[in-house]
Amino acid sequence: MVAQLHLLMNELDHARLERLLERPEYAKMPVAEALAERLDQADVVDPQEIPADLVSMHSRVRFRDLKADITLEKELVYPHNLDPQATDQLSVLAPLGAALLGARVGQEVHWQLPNGKDAALVVEEILHQPEAAGELFR
């Protein structure tokens, strides 16, 4: 589903995502298996070791959808934090959200959508990253 470089993430997000994927309502989602594999292989570091150009949970990211040639701005959130009325949030358990997790500014990310089509994006800017803002234990 997601084809990108090895995942680097902070220990808090890693633990939270592992617990999330253990819950039956999330474990059966199509993206869960691919995300679980990435978590198993992730390099886990202290929050203060996360580079400022890396997409972590609760990062607000500007990225370009290369197939549709549009720029989007979204905050990467856990599914239980997703406000159904908000158009500027993206669940980490959505294919696009899982693809963004761990991406770096300037990196092109490719993944396969549930309908079998290929998708691609490039991260243009991280507008807010909790770790860079000193929000290490959010």
Side-chain angles (χ1 to χ4, degrees):
M1 185 212 70
V2 176
Q4 76 181 43
L5 300 175
H6 196 65
L7 181 62
L8 174 68
M9 64 185 315
N10 86 53
E11 60 191 0
L12 299 174
D13 288 345
H14 189 269
R16 289 174 182 148
L17 286 167
E18 282 192 325
R19 283 194 307 272
L20 183 78
L21 293 175
E22 291 172 357
R23 295 174 58 178
E25 65 267 35
Y26 300 124
K28 303 248 186 272
M29 295 180 77
V31 72
E33 185 178 334
L35 186 56
E37 287 176 17
R38 290 185 68 215
L39 290 176
D40 288 345
Q41 299 170 5
D43 289 328
V44 182
V45 299
D46 290 332
Q48 59 269 25
E49 294 179 46
I50 294 294
D53 69 340
L54 182 133
V55 178
S56 63
M57 292 304 301
H58 295 289
S59 291
R60 177 166 295 285
V61 184
R62 181 179 303 124
F63 58 94
R64 175 163 290 285
D65 179 325
L66 298 174
K67 302 288 183 171
D69 195 30
I70 58 171
T71 299
L72 300 167
E73 186 179 305
K74 302 280 183 182
E75 178 186 357
L76 187 62
V77 299
Y78 295 99
H80 55 274
N81 294 129
L82 192 63
D83 177 352
Q85 306 302 317
T87 60
D88 64 343
Q89 292 181 325
L90 181 63
S91 171
V92 70
L93 289 182
L96 176 57
L100 275 172
L101 182 66
R104 308 282 292 257
V105 172
Q107 181 180 359
E108 195 171 304
V109 181
H110 298 266
W111 75 101
Q112 189 174 40
L113 297 170
N115 65 8
K117 291 186 178 182
D118 290 327
L121 64 85
V122 64
V123 177
E124 293 184 340
E125 183 180 4
I126 297 180
L127 304 168
H128 174 78
Q129 184 210 59
E131 292 85 354
E135 302 165 13
L136 302 179
F137 303 102
R138 68 212 182 288

